[in-house]
Amino acid sequence: MKLKIVLPLLLLTINIVHGQNTEFKKQGLLDKSLKKDSVIAEFSELYHLTNTIHPGQFMFCSKNEFDTTYSSLKNSIKTDLSLVEYYKLTATLMAKIKDGHTAVDRGRIIGLLNDRLVFPFSIYKIKDHYYLDKSSQENKEYSGLRILKINGKDINVVVNEIKQYIHLEGRNETGLNARFSNFPFYYFIYNQTEKFEIEYADRSNHKLKEIFKGMPFKTYTSSIAEKTAPLTTEFRTNDLAVLKFRSFENGYNEADRKIAEKQLDRFFIQLDSLKTKNLIIDLRDNSGGSADIANYLFSYLSSTSYYYFDYMGAKYKSVKDWKHYAQYPDNIEEINLNETKLKDGLNCYTETNSTDWWFKLQQNKSNFYKGKISVLINGGCFSTTGHLLALMREYKIGKFYGEYSQGSNYSNAGGQAFVLPYSKTLVWIPTFQYRMRTPHFINDPKGIKPDVEIQTEPDDLRTGFDRQMDSVMKQYQY
């Protein structure tokens, strides 16, 4: 069976959902517009849908833990709910699974939130403390200052409650900083106030308080937005080159993928021609994307042929009872159990019975890179980027610097959003588990650990100093 490649649908769907459910835009975020009995019934449907299809539901959360959380949340529904209250309820259930691809879509709330006043900073976790990070230019002087309290509540109490509805992979913690770029959104779900008293420690460790007026959410998002090309290359000298891959999303579209492949071809031809001894690959904050382009990059790093995926497995045995929930049900094909084999409780397509490229033997490039490789990673490395890092670790390619990645040698994914029938809430629930062919890989529930841990320091948030890159560059004395 030739399966449709569903991963590219992720981007398409995310770009569309902001225009969905226009009837709800006439209602306020805090209006009790969702009727109690209908919400209870729909919440049960979400529970049963998740139990039916999620391939990694109990990897980091036991069935008893999930069921207990579901029952507690369901029993907490005593009245009609607002969109914000229902988001918090459903997001908490999904976050309990501890899977980075499992989440309630934020699009509808963001559409209604744009003109609301929100907390004016992102925050950043360093060791056991939280720091003010990105904001508008007028608040730049506060970047890097340690937060003690927000509106009279200890920051640890605030974050611990917010973390209940933030989706992260496994026991990973470094991925929080990627999520906390959206801290104003999450704080709004927690507290809908428009004024914020922040108690913080200044650079001399004196405790101070400042009252900040909220910032319109769309102003905040535009203030922190950064335009970065998905792929850039640079030769610092003939002996040192830097390849930065901020996203593999440029592999979804064939035209964009061809451009990226040609860019990689030119870069590695030049590396080979110059006999460049040192290569830094910067994958920080690359949350994933197309397996095609990640595989193409790896073919230039490996000295031997290799396999990509080990299997692609589904929990369910048929799609007929649940595919109608999908936003795009025509993109969900029936599974053929005659072409799968049972593996770790999943019905798996493998290299022995599929024509998909990712199960076939992959050939490395003849001009693969032969010098020293340093790889920069952090908690923003997820999904396909985790797969690439797992391959590099399996084949002992490169030395990793930075922080734990969030991604690893597997993903529960599938690129499908499901529409809950009453509220029209969109929920991302994986339909397949993808696992790499990395038999010697040692799994760590926190992600992939760097060989050398280099953590951002508080003052780096203010100055923009790139501590990880600087530490690696010093080895080469450039």
Side-chain angles (χ1 to χ4, degrees), residues 158-174:
V158 173
V159 169
N160 285 339
E161 182 159 342
I162 288 175
K163 282 169 63 177
Q164 293 182 50
Y165 47 89
I166 290 181
H167 56 292
L168 284 176
E169 191 73 31
R171 311 293 179 214
N172 179 266
E173 285 287 331
T174 58

Side-chain angles (χ1 to χ4, degrees), residues 16 26 77 95 107 110 135 139 144 181 193 196 201 226 263 276 305 353 378 433 450 464-465:
I16 289 175
K26 298 175 183 177
I77 306 172
I110 287 175
S135 185
N139 292 330
S181 65
T193 184
F196 308 92
E226 297 179 3
Q263 190 174 352
T276 303
S305 56
N353 51 27
N378 66 5
Q433 183 176 108
F465 177 61

Side-chain angles (χ1 to χ4, degrees), residues 235-292:
F235 283 84
R236 297 290 180 96
T237 71
N238 286 349
D239 274 338
L240 177 63
V242 179
L243 183 155
K244 293 184 180 182
F245 237 128
R246 286 291 181 257
S247 173
F248 293 127
E249 292 176 1
N250 56 347
Y252 283 133
N253 177 280
E254 184 176 2
D256 291 339
R257 184 171 68 248
K258 293 298 183 184
I259 291 171
E261 288 175 350
K262 288 180 180 179
Q263 190 174 352
L264 288 173
D265 291 340
R266 291 192 298 269
F267 178 65
F268 281 95
I269 287 171
Q270 190 171 1
L271 284 174
D272 193 50
S273 175
L274 294 173
K275 307 301 181 193
T276 303
K277 296 178 182 178
N278 302 294
L279 172 61
I280 299 173
I281 301 178
D282 187 355
L283 296 174
R284 291 173 297 174
D285 297 319
N286 184 332
S287 60
S290 167
D292 297 78

Side-chain angles (χ1 to χ4, degrees), residues 21-27 34 83 108 112 423-424:
N21 311 315
T22 53
E23 68 270 21
F24 281 94
K25 291 189 176 182
K26 298 175 183 177
Q27 303 169 357
L34 301 175
L83 294 177
R108 184 203 304 173
L112 294 168
S423 68
K424 307 306 179 187

Side-chain angles (χ1 to χ4, degrees), residues 158-404:
V158 173
V159 169
N160 285 339
E161 182 159 342
I162 288 175
K163 282 169 63 177
Q164 293 182 50
Y165 47 89
I166 290 181
H167 56 292
L168 284 176
E169 191 73 31
R171 311 293 179 214
N172 179 266
E173 285 287 331
T174 58
L176 272 175
N177 286 328
R179 300 284 184 259
F180 282 161
S181 65
N182 292 310
F183 186 77
F185 171 88
Y186 292 115
Y187 190 85
F188 178 83
I189 301 299
Y190 170 77
N191 183 351
Q192 294 81 49
T193 184
E194 295 185 347
K195 288 187 178 180
F196 308 92
E197 181 186 81
I198 302 177
E199 183 175 329
Y200 61 92
D202 68 10
R203 301 187 206 286
S204 299
N205 209 32
H206 297 137
K207 292 183 180 180
L208 298 173
K209 289 182 181 179
E210 190 82 28
I211 294 178
F212 294 84
K213 186 180 179 182
M215 179 185 299
F217 185 73
K218 64 183 177 183
T219 301
Y220 167 78
T221 54
S222 63
S223 295
I224 70 165
E226 297 179 3
K227 291 185 178 180
T228 55
L231 170 61
T232 59
T233 60
E234 177 187 4
F235 283 84
R236 297 290 180 96
T237 71
N238 286 349
D239 274 338
L240 177 63
V242 179
L243 183 155
K244 293 184 180 182
F245 237 128
R246 286 291 181 257
S247 173
F248 293 127
E249 292 176 1
N250 56 347
Y252 283 133
N253 177 280
E254 184 176 2
D256 291 339
R257 184 171 68 248
K258 293 298 183 184
I259 291 171
E261 288 175 350
K262 288 180 180 179
Q263 190 174 352
L264 288 173
D265 291 340
R266 291 192 298 269
F267 178 65
F268 281 95
I269 287 171
Q270 190 171 1
L271 284 174
D272 193 50
S273 175
L274 294 173
K275 307 301 181 193
T276 303
K277 296 178 182 178
N278 302 294
L279 172 61
I280 299 173
I281 301 178
D282 187 355
L283 296 174
R284 291 173 297 174
D285 297 319
N286 184 332
S287 60
S290 167
D292 297 78
I293 198 67
N295 179 61
Y296 198 80
L297 171 59
F298 188 73
S299 70
Y300 273 114
L301 306 179
S302 179
S303 62
T304 184
S305 56
Y306 59 94
Y307 286 95
Y308 197 80
F309 281 145
D310 182 24
Y311 66 77
M312 170 182 170
K315 181 180 183 178
Y316 53 85
K317 295 183 179 180
S318 176
V319 305
K320 64 182 180 180
D321 293 332
W322 55 267
K323 70 178 290 184
H324 62 279
Y325 287 105
Q327 187 180 28
Y328 300 106
D330 290 344
N331 291 327
I332 298 180
E333 292 186 349
E334 186 60 83
I335 191 168
N336 187 338
L337 296 178
N338 293 323
E339 296 181 356
T340 66
K341 63 181 180 180
L342 195 64
K343 198 169 187 176
D344 297 328
L346 301 177
N347 301 301
C348 297
Y349 293 96
T350 71
E351 79 284 352
T352 60
N353 51 27
S354 174
T355 57
D356 289 303
W357 70 260
W358 45 37
F359 295 123
K360 296 179 179 179
L361 182 66
Q362 302 297 298
Q363 299 299 326
N364 65 314
K365 301 291 186 183
S366 59
N367 61 328
F368 67 88
Y369 183 68
K370 303 170 183 65
K372 179 181 178 181
I373 297 176
S374 302
V375 187
L376 299 180
I377 65 173
N378 66 5
C381 297
F382 183 58
S383 193
T384 300
T385 307
H387 303 166
L388 173 63
L389 293 173
L391 279 174
M392 296 179 74
R393 181 67 47 96
E394 173 77 10
Y395 288 89
K396 297 179 172 58
I397 297 171
K399 190 171 185 178
F400 297 176
Y401 297 83
E403 301 172 351
Y404 263 99

Side-chain angles (χ1 to χ4, degrees), residues 383 386-388 390 405-411 436 441 443-444 447-448:
S383 193
H387 303 166
L388 173 63
S405 71
Q406 188 181 171
S408 190
N409 72 325
Y410 71 93
S411 284
M436 307 303 291
F441 183 84
N443 187 59
D444 185 332
I448 296 177

